[in-house]
Amino acid sequence: VRKLIERVQKLGLTFETIAPDHGPIWRKDVGRMVGAYASWAEQKPTKKAVVLYDSMWGSTERMARAIAEGLAEGGATPRLLCLKAHHRSDVATEILDAGALLVGSPTLNNGLFPTLADAMTYLKGLKPRNLVGAAFGSYGWSGESVRHLNAMLDDMCVERLGDGVKVQYVPDESTFSACHALGMDVAGRLAELVET
Ligand SMILES: Cc1cc2nc3c(=O)[nH]c(=O)nc-3n(C[C@H](O)[C@H](O)[C@H](O)COP(=O)(O)O)c2cc1C
Protein backbone atom coordinates (compact mmCIF):
# COMPACT_ATOMS: atom_id res chain seq x y z
CA VAL A 1 0.00 0.00 0.00
CA ARG A 2 2.79 2.41 0.93
CA LYS A 3 4.64 1.78 -2.35
CA LEU A 4 1.48 2.29 -4.37
CA ILE A 5 0.57 5.55 -2.61
CA GLU A 6 4.12 6.82 -3.18
CA ARG A 7 3.92 5.92 -6.87
CA VAL A 8 0.56 7.63 -7.27
CA GLN A 9 1.85 10.74 -5.53
CA LYS A 10 4.88 10.85 -7.88
CA LEU A 11 2.58 10.65 -10.90
CA GLY A 12 0.96 13.88 -9.69
CA LEU A 13 -2.53 12.64 -10.48
CA THR A 14 -5.60 14.01 -8.79
CA PHE A 15 -8.65 11.88 -8.12
CA GLU A 16 -12.31 12.69 -7.96
CA THR A 17 -13.54 9.26 -6.93
CA ILE A 18 -12.14 6.17 -5.27
CA ALA A 19 -14.07 3.04 -6.21
CA PRO A 20 -12.58 0.01 -4.48
CA ASP A 21 -13.39 -3.46 -5.75
CA HIS A 22 -15.51 -3.92 -2.65
CA GLY A 23 -16.81 -1.46 -0.09
CA PRO A 24 -18.25 2.03 -0.38
CA ILE A 25 -17.35 4.48 -3.16
CA TRP A 26 -15.62 7.61 -1.87
CA ARG A 27 -16.68 10.76 -3.76
CA LYS A 28 -15.85 13.56 -1.33
CA ASP A 29 -12.70 14.43 0.52
CA VAL A 30 -10.66 11.91 -1.45
CA GLY A 31 -7.33 13.39 -0.29
CA ARG A 32 -8.25 12.83 3.34
CA MET A 33 -9.02 9.19 2.62
CA VAL A 34 -5.68 8.64 0.84
CA GLY A 35 -3.93 10.27 3.82
CA ALA A 36 -5.79 8.06 6.28
CA TYR A 37 -4.93 4.97 4.24
CA ALA A 38 -1.26 5.96 4.13
CA SER A 39 -1.15 6.41 7.90
CA TRP A 40 -3.01 3.11 8.59
CA ALA A 41 -0.60 1.29 6.26
CA GLU A 42 2.35 2.51 8.31
CA GLN A 43 0.99 0.66 11.36
CA LYS A 44 3.10 2.75 13.69
CA PRO A 45 2.87 1.50 17.28
CA THR A 46 0.84 3.68 19.63
CA LYS A 47 0.10 3.40 23.31
CA LYS A 48 -3.41 2.18 22.66
CA ALA A 49 -3.96 -1.42 23.78
CA VAL A 50 -7.00 -3.39 22.66
CA VAL A 51 -8.19 -5.92 25.25
CA LEU A 52 -10.42 -8.28 23.30
CA TYR A 53 -12.40 -10.95 25.15
CA ASP A 54 -15.60 -12.81 25.73
CA SER A 55 -16.83 -14.58 28.82
CA MET A 56 -19.67 -16.88 29.82
CA TRP A 57 -19.78 -16.39 33.60
CA GLY A 58 -17.53 -13.36 34.06
CA SER A 59 -14.14 -14.80 35.06
CA THR A 60 -12.36 -13.95 31.81
CA GLU A 61 -14.08 -10.56 31.90
CA ARG A 62 -12.71 -9.82 35.37
CA MET A 63 -9.23 -10.77 34.14
CA ALA A 64 -9.67 -8.37 31.20
CA ARG A 65 -10.56 -5.55 33.59
CA ALA A 66 -7.50 -6.23 35.78
CA ILE A 67 -5.26 -6.22 32.68
CA ALA A 68 -6.82 -2.90 31.59
CA GLU A 69 -6.06 -1.40 35.01
CA GLY A 70 -2.41 -2.51 34.70
CA LEU A 71 -2.22 -1.06 31.20
CA ALA A 72 -3.60 2.29 32.35
CA GLU A 73 -1.30 2.39 35.36
CA GLY A 74 1.67 1.71 33.06
CA GLY A 75 0.74 4.66 30.83
CA ALA A 76 -1.05 2.85 28.01
CA THR A 77 -4.59 3.55 26.84
CA PRO A 78 -6.70 0.41 27.20
CA ARG A 79 -9.71 -0.21 25.00
CA LEU A 80 -11.84 -3.03 26.42
CA LEU A 81 -13.84 -4.83 23.73
CA CYS A 82 -16.24 -7.57 24.74
CA LEU A 83 -17.37 -9.57 21.73
CA LYS A 84 -20.94 -9.65 23.07
CA ALA A 85 -21.15 -5.93 22.33
CA HIS A 86 -18.69 -5.46 19.47
CA HIS A 87 -18.77 -6.82 15.95
CA ARG A 88 -15.53 -8.13 14.47
CA SER A 89 -15.41 -5.05 12.19
CA ASP A 90 -15.39 -2.75 15.25
CA VAL A 91 -12.41 -4.73 16.52
CA ALA A 92 -10.59 -4.34 13.20
CA THR A 93 -11.19 -0.58 13.30
CA GLU A 94 -9.85 -0.34 16.84
CA ILE A 95 -6.74 -2.34 15.90
CA LEU A 96 -5.87 0.07 13.07
CA ASP A 97 -4.24 2.55 15.43
CA ALA A 98 -3.39 0.24 18.34
CA GLY A 99 0.03 -0.92 19.50
CA ALA A 100 -1.12 -3.97 21.47
CA LEU A 101 -3.64 -6.78 21.32
CA LEU A 102 -4.46 -8.69 24.49
CA VAL A 103 -6.92 -11.44 23.91
CA GLY A 104 -8.92 -13.51 26.37
CA SER A 105 -11.17 -16.55 26.03
CA PRO A 106 -12.71 -19.11 28.35
CA THR A 107 -12.08 -22.72 27.35
CA LEU A 108 -15.12 -24.26 25.72
CA ASN A 109 -15.19 -27.87 24.51
CA ASN A 110 -11.38 -28.04 24.61
CA GLY A 111 -11.07 -24.96 22.44
CA LEU A 112 -11.77 -21.27 22.10
CA PHE A 113 -15.05 -19.55 22.79
CA PRO A 114 -16.56 -19.27 19.26
CA THR A 115 -16.69 -15.46 19.16
CA LEU A 116 -12.92 -15.33 19.77
CA ALA A 117 -12.26 -17.90 17.04
CA ASP A 118 -14.37 -15.76 14.71
CA ALA A 119 -12.73 -12.41 15.52
CA MET A 120 -9.17 -13.76 15.58
CA THR A 121 -9.62 -15.54 12.22
CA TYR A 122 -10.92 -12.29 10.75
CA LEU A 123 -8.11 -10.19 12.25
CA LYS A 124 -5.43 -12.60 11.08
CA GLY A 125 -6.63 -12.20 7.50
CA LEU A 126 -6.22 -8.42 7.76
CA LYS A 127 -2.51 -8.93 8.59
CA PRO A 128 -2.06 -6.26 11.26
CA ARG A 129 1.63 -5.63 11.97
CA ASN A 130 3.75 -4.13 14.77
CA LEU A 131 1.58 -5.34 17.62
CA VAL A 132 2.69 -6.62 20.99
CA GLY A 133 0.33 -8.87 22.86
CA ALA A 134 -0.58 -11.69 25.18
CA ALA A 135 -3.40 -14.12 25.93
CA PHE A 136 -5.48 -14.85 29.00
CA GLY A 137 -8.52 -16.82 30.04
CA SER A 138 -10.39 -18.89 32.55
CA TYR A 139 -10.95 -22.64 32.26
CA GLY A 140 -12.52 -25.50 34.19
CA TRP A 141 -10.44 -28.67 33.75
CA SER A 142 -8.40 -28.93 30.55
CA GLY A 143 -7.72 -25.25 29.81
CA GLU A 144 -6.70 -25.11 26.13
CA SER A 145 -7.90 -21.60 25.26
CA VAL A 146 -4.73 -19.68 26.17
CA ARG A 147 -2.56 -22.13 24.23
CA HIS A 148 -4.78 -21.71 21.17
CA LEU A 149 -4.71 -17.92 21.48
CA ASN A 150 -0.92 -17.93 21.86
CA ALA A 151 -0.62 -19.95 18.64
CA MET A 152 -2.93 -17.50 16.86
CA LEU A 153 -0.97 -14.49 18.10
CA ASP A 154 2.26 -16.15 16.90
CA ASP A 155 0.67 -16.83 13.54
CA MET A 156 -0.21 -13.13 13.33
CA CYS A 157 3.43 -12.16 14.08
CA VAL A 158 2.38 -10.42 17.29
CA GLU A 159 5.33 -9.88 19.64
CA ARG A 160 4.03 -12.04 22.47
CA LEU A 161 5.07 -11.06 25.99
CA GLY A 162 5.16 -14.44 27.74
CA ASP A 163 2.75 -17.35 27.83
CA GLY A 164 -0.19 -15.38 29.18
CA VAL A 165 -2.34 -15.79 32.28
CA LYS A 166 -4.79 -18.63 32.83
CA VAL A 167 -6.88 -19.43 35.86
CA GLN A 168 -9.04 -22.36 36.87
CA TYR A 169 -12.59 -21.08 37.31
CA VAL A 170 -12.85 -17.84 39.32
CA PRO A 171 -9.81 -15.52 39.49
CA ASP A 172 -8.34 -14.91 42.95
CA GLU A 173 -6.03 -12.13 44.18
CA SER A 174 -2.92 -13.80 42.75
CA THR A 175 -4.56 -14.01 39.31
CA PHE A 176 -5.58 -10.36 39.48
CA SER A 177 -1.97 -9.47 40.37
CA ALA A 178 -0.68 -11.52 37.43
CA CYS A 179 -3.19 -9.80 35.11
CA HIS A 180 -2.27 -6.37 36.44
CA ALA A 181 1.44 -7.17 36.00
CA LEU A 182 0.79 -8.33 32.44
CA GLY A 183 -0.92 -5.02 31.69
CA MET A 184 2.02 -3.12 33.15
CA ASP A 185 4.52 -5.20 31.10
CA VAL A 186 2.67 -4.52 27.87
CA ALA A 187 2.44 -0.81 28.71
CA GLY A 188 6.20 -0.76 29.38
CA ARG A 189 6.96 -2.42 26.05
CA LEU A 190 4.64 0.01 24.24
CA ALA A 191 6.42 2.95 25.87
CA GLU A 192 9.76 1.61 24.56
CA LEU A 193 8.37 1.08 21.06
CA VAL A 194 6.59 4.42 20.82
CA GLU A 195 9.59 6.36 22.06
CA THR A 196 12.14 4.71 19.74
C1 LIG B 1 -20.43 -25.73 27.59
C2 LIG B 1 -19.15 -25.59 28.35
C3 LIG B 1 -18.03 -26.30 27.93
C4 LIG B 1 -16.82 -26.19 28.63
N1 LIG B 1 -15.73 -26.89 28.17
C5 LIG B 1 -14.57 -26.82 28.86
C6 LIG B 1 -13.44 -27.58 28.43
O1 LIG B 1 -13.46 -28.30 27.46
N2 LIG B 1 -12.29 -27.46 29.15
C7 LIG B 1 -12.19 -26.65 30.24
O2 LIG B 1 -11.11 -26.54 30.82
N3 LIG B 1 -13.25 -25.94 30.68
C8 LIG B 1 -14.44 -26.00 30.02
N4 LIG B 1 -15.53 -25.29 30.46
C9 LIG B 1 -15.43 -24.52 31.72
C10 LIG B 1 -15.19 -23.04 31.51
O3 LIG B 1 -14.02 -22.82 30.77
C11 LIG B 1 -15.08 -22.38 32.90
O4 LIG B 1 -16.37 -22.41 33.52
C12 LIG B 1 -14.55 -20.99 32.88
O5 LIG B 1 -14.33 -20.55 34.21
C13 LIG B 1 -15.51 -20.03 32.18
O6 LIG B 1 -14.93 -18.76 32.11
P1 LIG B 1 -15.85 -17.44 32.02
O7 LIG B 1 -16.39 -17.17 33.41
O8 LIG B 1 -14.95 -16.37 31.53
O9 LIG B 1 -16.94 -17.75 31.08
C14 LIG B 1 -16.75 -25.37 29.78
C15 LIG B 1 -17.88 -24.68 30.19
C16 LIG B 1 -19.06 -24.76 29.49
C17 LIG B 1 -20.26 -23.98 29.95
Side-chain angles (χ1 to χ4, degrees), residues 71-84:
L71 284 163
E73 200 175 316
T77 308
R79 180 83 177 92
L80 271 171
L81 297 179
C82 175
L83 284 166
K84 280 191 187 30

Side-chain angles (χ1 to χ4, degrees), residues 1-38:
V1 168
R2 285 157 66 184
K3 274 188 198 148
L4 181 67
I5 289 177
E6 208 176 294
R7 215 163 77 211
V8 167
Q9 276 165 348
K10 274 190 193 145
L11 289 171
L13 300 170
T14 50
F15 299 96
E16 284 170 19
T17 306
I18 297 178
D21 54 7
H22 62 86
I25 293 175
W26 203 264
R27 293 190 176 84
K28 285 185 201 155
D29 229 358
V30 167
R32 185 167 71 85
M33 196 31 73
V34 174
Y37 212 65

Side-chain angles (χ1 to χ4, degrees), residues 54-61 106-110 138-144 169:
D54 209 334
S55 187
M56 294 179 285
W57 318 122
S59 291
T60 306
E61 170 146 40
T107 296
L108 184 101
N109 301 343
N110 302 110
S138 170
Y139 68 97
W141 47 95
S142 54
E144 291 89 342
Y169 292 117

